[in-house]
Amino acid sequence: MLEKNMNIVNDAFKEYYFKHFELIHVPPRPSEREFGYKKFNEGMTRHLSVKDVKELHLLLMTQVPSDVYCSNAYYSFPNLPMSEKDWKGADLIFDIDAKDLKLDCRASHTCCRCNSCQNIVKQGISCSVCGSTKLEMVSVTCQNCTFESKNEVTRLLEILTEDFGIQRDEIQVYFSGNEGFHLYVINSNYQTLPSRERADLADYIMFNGIIPETLGMNKQNNSKSTLPDVNERGWGGRVARELFGSKSKRGKIIQAILSGGYSKFQVNLEDLRPKMGVKIDSKVTMDVHRIFRLEGSLNSKSGLSKIVCKDLKSFDPFSDACLLGDEKIEIVANCPISFKLKNKKYGPYEKEKITVPKYAAIYMICKGIADIN
């Protein structure tokens, strides 16, 4: 980030942590967790121990981090190197990101920034100014991205509560501060689950590796097959509802499935996987040593807050997580795409001098599509 941009963003972040420290929530058992942070234009500092909220407040005000992190894991010695921490368990965490949903709308709100000369192009494989092919994708999130991400969250909540018996009050849902949502499972029997078993759990949620036998098909003798009913719990019922639609159609469709044979049914199940499976990042779920963005902290990719979603349906990240000030700032915007913050539309801009509220200026600077004039 350019120094002139870094200064204004740094000041905005410091003001935020001074005014909104009540939003920063230290998770349970903080003295057993590893903390870390980044500063603008600097690398990661981690393996830190924070005892309480006062110590965290001091860190935020003295260091003014661009990003603040906390481990999902509990350790006996969180400030020691990883091999010496003595892992005791970890919260189960899921990440749903709009960019992984492969939505058609992405093309309309994505552009490219040249890493060589910083020029912005709407589309292309090379920079129109310097010819470099080192282009970085820049995307702003739209309402459709948020809507579809919420749908994934809802489906994940259904599986966690119905299939795994996790109580709803043991699951916390957060907006990540940029393009997605984090789900935390706390105080559950899954805390001591090792990485491999978490990977299996993620595969189940993503509908990976399901085979016809799982749904009652007998490979050797079709007459002994007992395909699921629409009222069954778990994937059996979900697949039945997808295939049959209703009980009245079940018999006829089952006959067609059995007539088609095992291999065809296996292909049909694989075709259903992108539609049926919840699109989580499995690497996040299986990582028992990962550090995650701290609740209430700012995301340096957007200037938006990572914030709890008390009511997922009504939650609007473009307003509810947009908490920087509204003082006017003059910037030069090179933003060929449009976006909304606090119900106001911004862009497109082509190397234009504009005066916008601080929250919009910081958002564009963090995205790399504007500079301080």
Side-chain angles (χ1 to χ4, degrees):
M1 184 181 289
L2 296 175
E3 186 173 354
K4 63 180 180 179
N5 292 337
M6 186 178 69
N7 290 338
I8 192 72
V9 176
N10 195 73
D11 288 346
F13 276 41
K14 185 173 184 177
E15 180 184 37
Y16 170 85
Y17 287 122
F18 181 77
K19 290 183 175 180
H20 297 289
F21 186 73
E22 77 283 355
L23 297 177
I24 307 293
H25 286 179
V26 178
R29 299 160 62 182
S31 63
E32 298 175 74
R33 297 182 188 260
E34 174 194 353
F35 287 77
Y37 66 88
K38 285 182 180 180
K39 296 185 72 171
F40 292 102
N41 293 351
E42 295 184 19
M44 173 77 78
T45 299
R46 57 181 301 180
H47 306 296
L48 301 177
S49 178
V50 173
K51 295 179 181 179
D52 53 35
V53 68
K54 290 183 179 180
E55 196 168 327
L56 177 61
H57 195 184
L58 181 63
L59 183 150
L60 293 174
M61 296 310 298
T62 57
Q63 298 299 324
V64 192
S66 62
D67 303 275
V68 189
Y69 303 95
C70 176
S71 68
N72 63 331
Y74 306 97
Y75 302 104
S76 297
F77 311 103
N79 59 328
L80 293 183
M82 193 62 69
S83 60
E84 302 174 33
K85 288 183 184 294
D86 184 26
W87 187 85
K88 299 162 72 173
D91 298 329
L92 185 61
I93 299 183
F94 302 92
D95 178 38
I96 292 173
D97 202 307
K99 70 176 184 298
D100 298 326
L101 305 186
K102 297 179 172 56
L103 301 173
D104 292 339
C105 62
R106 297 289 292 183
S108 67
H109 52 80
T110 299
C111 59
C112 301
R113 182 176 64 245
C114 176
N115 286 333
S116 298
C117 71
Q118 306 305 309
N119 180 50
I120 305 292
V121 294
K122 182 69 172 73
Q123 298 177 20
I125 58 175
S126 63
C127 177
S128 57
V129 173
C130 71
S132 173
T133 56
K134 297 178 180 179
L135 302 181
E136 179 182 351
M137 304 296 286
V138 177
S139 181
V140 297
T141 313
C142 73
Q143 293 286 355
N144 184 59
C145 290
T146 301
F147 177 79
E148 294 298 340
S149 297
K150 285 182 179 181
N151 285 341
E152 295 297 308
V153 171
T154 300
R155 294 169 61 223
L156 176 55
L157 287 170
E158 176 188 305
I159 292 174
L160 293 177
T161 54
E162 294 185 3
D163 297 23
F164 294 102
I166 299 172
Q167 299 299 311
R168 179 63 183 87
D169 60 7
E170 293 179 336
I171 307 172
Q172 296 174 336
V173 181
Y174 299 95
F175 171 61
S176 70
N178 192 27
E179 294 201 70
F181 294 87
H182 295 161
L183 276 76
Y184 287 51
V185 178
I186 57 173
N187 300 324
S188 75
N189 295 328
Y190 295 92
Q191 284 187 344
T192 56
L193 204 65
S195 182
R196 179 169 297 192
E197 281 74 11
R198 292 177 190 236
D200 292 340
L201 190 150
D203 278 338
Y204 178 91
I205 290 169
M206 298 170 73
F207 200 61
N208 287 339
I210 196 159
I211 56 176
E213 285 92 338
T214 308
L215 299 174
M217 177 171 270
N218 190 304
K219 189 174 185 178
Q220 307 303 325
N221 186 349
N222 272 359
S223 64
K224 294 184 178 181
S225 296
T226 54
L227 296 187
D229 186 79
V230 294
N231 292 324
E232 284 188 27
R233 297 181 63 179
W235 280 120
R238 293 186 191 95
V239 172
R241 290 189 290 273
E242 179 67 26
L243 293 176
F244 311 144
S246 65
K247 284 187 176 182
S248 61
K249 298 179 181 179
R250 184 173 183 269
K252 184 176 181 180
I253 295 175
I254 284 178
Q255 284 302 116
I257 290 173
L258 297 180
S259 298
Y262 181 94
S263 296
K264 185 176 180 181
F265 188 41
Q266 191 169 29
V267 171
N268 289 343
L269 289 177
E270 187 60 28
D271 290 340
L272 283 177
R273 186 178 64 81
K275 180 179 181 179
M276 299 286 291
V278 182
K279 298 174 181 63
I280 60 172
D281 185 337
S282 60
K283 293 179 181 178
V284 170
T285 300
M286 65 185 290
D287 193 340
V288 295
H289 298 291
R290 199 179 188 96
I291 54 176
F292 290 84
R293 193 173 305 282
L294 189 65
E295 179 189 349
S297 67
L298 292 172
N299 191 319
S300 67
K301 296 178 181 178
S302 65
L304 302 180
S305 302
K306 176 174 179 176
I307 195 166
V308 68
C309 303
K310 295 179 180 178
D311 182 350
L312 181 65
K313 186 176 181 180
S314 64
F315 178 76
D316 180 3
F318 311 110
S319 294
D320 298 339
C322 187
L323 300 175
L324 295 181
D326 56 6
E327 309 94 288
K328 300 298 183 181
I329 295 179
E330 187 176 84
I331 58 174
V332 178
N334 191 10
C335 175
I337 49 184
S338 62
F339 60 93
K340 279 188 175 183
L341 289 175
K342 293 189 176 180
N343 296 316
K344 183 177 179 181
K345 180 183 175 183
Y346 297 92
Y349 307 111
E350 185 176 351
K351 297 179 181 179
E352 297 178 40
K353 283 186 180 182
I354 57 173
T355 300
V356 296
K358 181 188 290 185
Y359 60 81
I362 300 299
Y363 183 83
M364 285 188 274
I365 291 171
C366 288
K367 291 289 183 181
I369 48 181
D371 295 304
I372 289 295
N373 185 26

